[in-house]
Amino acid sequence: RMVGVGSGERHPAPAMPMPNLYSGMGSLDLKRIFALTPAGVMGMSDEEVEAGRFDEPGMAGMGSMDMGEMPGMVHGGEMGEMDHGAHAMHGMHGMDHQGEAQELFTEGEDYEMDHGAHSMPEMSKMDARGTEAQATAPVTKGKRYGLDFRPFAADVSSAGNLTVDGREPERPWAPYERLRAIKPTTLPADKPVREIRLTLDGDMERYVWFLNNKPLSESDAIRIREGEVVRFIMINRTMMHHPMHLHGHFFRVINGQGDHSPLKHTVDVAPMSTTVIEFDANEVGDWFFHCHLLYHMKSGMARVVHYENFALPPQLAAIRPKLYKDSWYAWGEIEGLSNMTEGFLTASNTRNILTAEWELGWQEVEGSEWEALITWDRYFNRFFSVFAGVDFGDAIEDDRGVLGLRYLLPFNIETNSFIGTDGDGRIVAGKSFQLMPRLSLDGSVQYDTESAWEYVADLSYSLSKTFSLGAKWHSDYRWGAGLHIRF
């Protein structure tokens, strides 16, 4: 949309009040618990985003959690008046990780860590004024992840503070609210402003990343025009940081410094927050805009910023389609146990998932029984996909085509159900419990209108990223033990 502006720093049409961050965390919000999209669960639905509710810089989401007012938050008012900008989380009491850092980084352990390559050599500490101070914290060394067998030790929320060299113990956040340009950076007041709202979305489990719920392979260019002031309103609806980088331009980060907003070409958009940038559209061409975590970029979090009336040279136009290629990946798992074997093979791009899975059991049954299910899934979001395929084997009466859906219930309970061409149906629910860093327990229950109930419990101990030892109880084939192989 085009927005007229007056003198001084540009602001969106009147800034809307932001939700009270973390208000009412203790109450159950059924609307969010049973939302059909991850954004809905976070309290940042598409409808609310389109209404402009989260356009103002600052922490924006999780509107039903109450931890009190946070430093730097603005509830109403214009962007230029905000106190601490988009990343003011330094003062979040109660959210730092408790425990002593020495539990994770202790003297005499396996490898050192420095700040550039994940190790931390002995160094002089700097106090808040930048003057050198004598180090009082111990020299710290890393502890191998695989040697920490405490229950839930792999969970970051249960880990100790990582900082023991005199810095603040909380996880560091970018100090954007303190950045101030030496000279005014305001853009010409007589230029039209084009506002472009971009949500940062994705799925941390499948590791696909989107802008406005689409990967680069499904997207069109972001179209702008020379002579405009372009404002990007970036709303992060994920629980990961995304340092967004624009080629070809420096942009102003709207951080509460008014006319002296700093100029940058990369800015971190923190989880569940909004960051606003603006730039003078004065470099005609096609420019890449993407997350600078390159594996996020590769997985789809990118766009081309295209100036109207700009034509690519023929040699570049010929290879442009390669930019939008949606790569396929394959993986699988095989379980070889004393009572049965089962596994799957999967090939997938962003939206399409082809899977072949099988189950063969011989214990407690006459001879053996086997079943195979081959499906094609269409992925919509982290919670929901639909699939079609074929189900066959001597464990069922007749081979059948199937049509079904997968849905993620609250508490990460995974479900899938289908209807077969024979009129029978099946529903499965399962959950995984990570008991220790290497020890997990998987459980599932299945009901098939043809073969009735089936129950499974699987205990797995990881030896490496490829091999695990497993013990399984199956309601048809009883107890067994063996090896899991992942590839």
mmCIF file of all heavy atoms in Angstrom, residues 205-221:
data_model
loop_
_atom_site.group_PDB
_atom_site.id
_atom_site.type_symbol
_atom_site.label_atom_id
_atom_site.label_comp_id
_atom_site.label_asym_id
_atom_site.label_seq_id
_atom_site.Cartn_x
_atom_site.Cartn_y
_atom_site.Cartn_z
ATOM 1 N N GLU A 205 10.917 -28.451 12.849
ATOM 2 C CA GLU A 205 11.072 -29.897 12.778
ATOM 3 C C GLU A 205 11.413 -30.347 11.355
ATOM 4 O O GLU A 205 12.387 -31.062 11.139
ATOM 5 C CB GLU A 205 9.808 -30.598 13.254
ATOM 6 C CG GLU A 205 9.952 -32.112 13.274
ATOM 7 C CD GLU A 205 8.727 -32.813 13.837
ATOM 8 O OE1 GLU A 205 7.605 -32.352 13.568
ATOM 9 O OE2 GLU A 205 8.897 -33.806 14.537
ATOM 10 N N ARG A 206 10.641 -29.920 10.370
ATOM 11 C CA ARG A 206 10.942 -30.279 8.986
ATOM 12 C C ARG A 206 12.037 -29.393 8.415
ATOM 13 O O ARG A 206 12.617 -29.676 7.376
ATOM 14 C CB ARG A 206 9.697 -30.161 8.104
ATOM 15 C CG ARG A 206 8.621 -31.165 8.435
ATOM 16 C CD ARG A 206 7.622 -31.288 7.297
ATOM 17 N NE ARG A 206 8.241 -31.848 6.125
ATOM 18 C CZ ARG A 206 8.283 -31.237 4.933
ATOM 19 N NH1 ARG A 206 7.764 -30.035 4.791
ATOM 20 N NH2 ARG A 206 8.852 -31.810 3.915
ATOM 21 N N TYR A 207 12.329 -28.295 9.090
ATOM 22 C CA TYR A 207 13.326 -27.306 8.692
ATOM 23 C C TYR A 207 13.038 -26.744 7.303
ATOM 24 O O TYR A 207 13.840 -26.818 6.373
ATOM 25 C CB TYR A 207 14.752 -27.856 8.787
ATOM 26 C CG TYR A 207 15.644 -26.870 9.488
ATOM 27 C CD1 TYR A 207 15.576 -26.731 10.868
ATOM 28 C CD2 TYR A 207 16.489 -26.033 8.781
ATOM 29 C CE1 TYR A 207 16.351 -25.803 11.528
ATOM 30 C CE2 TYR A 207 17.264 -25.102 9.432
ATOM 31 C CZ TYR A 207 17.195 -24.992 10.803
ATOM 32 O OH TYR A 207 17.954 -24.059 11.457
ATOM 33 N N VAL A 208 11.859 -26.150 7.175
ATOM 34 C CA VAL A 208 11.499 -25.334 6.024
ATOM 35 C C VAL A 208 11.164 -23.943 6.549
ATOM 36 O O VAL A 208 10.598 -23.799 7.633
ATOM 37 C CB VAL A 208 10.316 -25.935 5.244
ATOM 38 C CG1 VAL A 208 10.732 -27.218 4.552
ATOM 39 C CG2 VAL A 208 9.119 -26.199 6.146
ATOM 40 N N TRP A 209 11.531 -22.918 5.779
ATOM 41 C CA TRP A 209 11.410 -21.538 6.244
ATOM 42 C C TRP A 209 10.765 -20.685 5.169
ATOM 43 O O TRP A 209 11.052 -20.847 3.974
ATOM 44 C CB TRP A 209 12.791 -20.986 6.630
ATOM 45 C CG TRP A 209 13.390 -21.792 7.735
ATOM 46 C CD1 TRP A 209 14.326 -22.778 7.617
ATOM 47 C CD2 TRP A 209 13.047 -21.736 9.119
ATOM 48 N NE1 TRP A 209 14.592 -23.329 8.847
ATOM 49 C CE2 TRP A 209 13.820 -22.710 9.788
ATOM 50 C CE3 TRP A 209 12.158 -20.959 9.856
ATOM 51 C CZ2 TRP A 209 13.728 -22.923 11.146
ATOM 52 C CZ3 TRP A 209 12.066 -21.167 11.221
ATOM 53 C CH2 TRP A 209 12.860 -22.135 11.844
ATOM 54 N N PHE A 210 9.897 -19.770 5.606
ATOM 55 C CA PHE A 210 9.041 -19.027 4.687
ATOM 56 C C PHE A 210 9.082 -17.527 4.968
ATOM 57 O O PHE A 210 9.390 -17.084 6.077
ATOM 58 C CB PHE A 210 7.582 -19.478 4.828
ATOM 59 C CG PHE A 210 7.359 -20.960 4.686
ATOM 60 C CD1 PHE A 210 6.518 -21.625 5.567
ATOM 61 C CD2 PHE A 210 7.967 -21.670 3.682
ATOM 62 C CE1 PHE A 210 6.287 -22.980 5.443
ATOM 63 C CE2 PHE A 210 7.756 -23.028 3.542
ATOM 64 C CZ PHE A 210 6.909 -23.687 4.421
ATOM 65 N N LEU A 211 8.716 -16.761 3.955
ATOM 66 C CA LEU A 211 8.287 -15.373 4.091
ATOM 67 C C LEU A 211 6.837 -15.315 3.631
ATOM 68 O O LEU A 211 6.517 -15.789 2.529
ATOM 69 C CB LEU A 211 9.147 -14.426 3.254
ATOM 70 C CG LEU A 211 10.585 -14.214 3.733
ATOM 71 C CD1 LEU A 211 11.361 -13.366 2.734
ATOM 72 C CD2 LEU A 211 10.609 -13.559 5.103
ATOM 73 N N ASN A 212 5.975 -14.755 4.473
ATOM 74 C CA ASN A 212 4.538 -14.733 4.196
ATOM 75 C C ASN A 212 4.011 -16.128 3.865
ATOM 76 O O ASN A 212 3.229 -16.326 2.931
ATOM 77 C CB ASN A 212 4.215 -13.752 3.061
ATOM 78 C CG ASN A 212 4.359 -12.308 3.502
ATOM 79 O OD1 ASN A 212 4.410 -12.007 4.693
ATOM 80 N ND2 ASN A 212 4.444 -11.406 2.545
ATOM 81 N N ASN A 213 4.480 -17.105 4.645
ATOM 82 C CA ASN A 213 4.015 -18.498 4.546
ATOM 83 C C ASN A 213 4.354 -19.162 3.211
ATOM 84 O O ASN A 213 3.756 -20.189 2.873
ATOM 85 C CB ASN A 213 2.508 -18.596 4.803
ATOM 86 C CG ASN A 213 2.200 -18.621 6.290
ATOM 87 O OD1 ASN A 213 2.858 -19.311 7.064
ATOM 88 N ND2 ASN A 213 1.193 -17.858 6.696
ATOM 89 N N LYS A 214 5.318 -18.621 2.471
ATOM 90 C CA LYS A 214 5.734 -19.244 1.223
ATOM 91 C C LYS A 214 7.256 -19.280 1.140
ATOM 92 O O LYS A 214 7.922 -18.314 1.512
ATOM 93 C CB LYS A 214 5.185 -18.466 0.015
ATOM 94 C CG LYS A 214 3.687 -18.570 -0.174
ATOM 95 C CD LYS A 214 3.268 -17.846 -1.443
ATOM 96 C CE LYS A 214 1.761 -17.976 -1.681
ATOM 97 N NZ LYS A 214 1.357 -17.289 -2.931
ATOM 98 N N PRO A 215 7.798 -20.398 0.623
ATOM 99 C CA PRO A 215 9.246 -20.418 0.374
ATOM 100 C C PRO A 215 9.566 -19.665 -0.910
ATOM 101 O O PRO A 215 8.673 -19.298 -1.685
ATOM 102 C CB PRO A 215 9.541 -21.922 0.215
ATOM 103 C CG PRO A 215 8.272 -22.477 -0.362
ATOM 104 C CD PRO A 215 7.153 -21.676 0.269
ATOM 105 N N LEU A 216 10.843 -19.458 -1.151
ATOM 106 C CA LEU A 216 11.268 -18.753 -2.364
ATOM 107 C C LEU A 216 10.748 -19.444 -3.613
ATOM 108 O O LEU A 216 10.346 -18.783 -4.573
ATOM 109 C CB LEU A 216 12.800 -18.681 -2.403
ATOM 110 C CG LEU A 216 13.425 -18.053 -3.644
ATOM 111 C CD1 LEU A 216 13.024 -16.593 -3.770
ATOM 112 C CD2 LEU A 216 14.941 -18.201 -3.610
ATOM 113 N N SER A 217 10.711 -20.782 -3.614
ATOM 114 C CA SER A 217 10.306 -21.528 -4.807
ATOM 115 C C SER A 217 8.856 -21.275 -5.188
ATOM 116 O O SER A 217 8.477 -21.479 -6.346
ATOM 117 C CB SER A 217 10.519 -23.030 -4.584
ATOM 118 O OG SER A 217 9.763 -23.485 -3.475
ATOM 119 N N GLU A 218 8.018 -20.823 -4.266
ATOM 120 C CA GLU A 218 6.606 -20.571 -4.549
ATOM 121 C C GLU A 218 6.284 -19.085 -4.697
ATOM 122 O O GLU A 218 5.128 -18.720 -4.904
ATOM 123 C CB GLU A 218 5.736 -21.127 -3.418
ATOM 124 C CG GLU A 218 5.829 -22.619 -3.219
ATOM 125 C CD GLU A 218 5.021 -23.100 -2.033
ATOM 126 O OE1 GLU A 218 4.418 -22.258 -1.327
ATOM 127 O OE2 GLU A 218 5.001 -24.314 -1.808
ATOM 128 N N SER A 219 7.283 -18.243 -4.605
ATOM 129 C CA SER A 219 7.010 -16.818 -4.421
ATOM 130 C C SER A 219 7.171 -16.027 -5.715
ATOM 131 O O SER A 219 7.795 -16.468 -6.681
ATOM 132 C CB SER A 219 7.964 -16.239 -3.374
ATOM 133 O OG SER A 219 9.292 -16.221 -3.890
ATOM 134 N N ASP A 220 6.617 -14.837 -5.680
ATOM 135 C CA ASP A 220 6.865 -13.830 -6.691
ATOM 136 C C ASP A 220 7.860 -12.836 -6.098
ATOM 137 O O ASP A 220 8.165 -12.872 -4.909
ATOM 138 C CB ASP A 220 5.558 -13.140 -7.068
ATOM 139 C CG ASP A 220 5.692 -12.331 -8.353
ATOM 140 O OD1 ASP A 220 6.758 -12.407 -8.995
ATOM 141 O OD2 ASP A 220 4.739 -11.624 -8.710
ATOM 142 N N ALA A 221 8.367 -11.943 -6.928
ATOM 143 C CA ALA A 221 9.306 -10.942 -6.438
ATOM 144 C C ALA A 221 8.593 -9.895 -5.590
ATOM 145 O O ALA A 221 7.379 -9.674 -5.725
ATOM 146 C CB ALA A 221 10.011 -10.270 -7.615
#
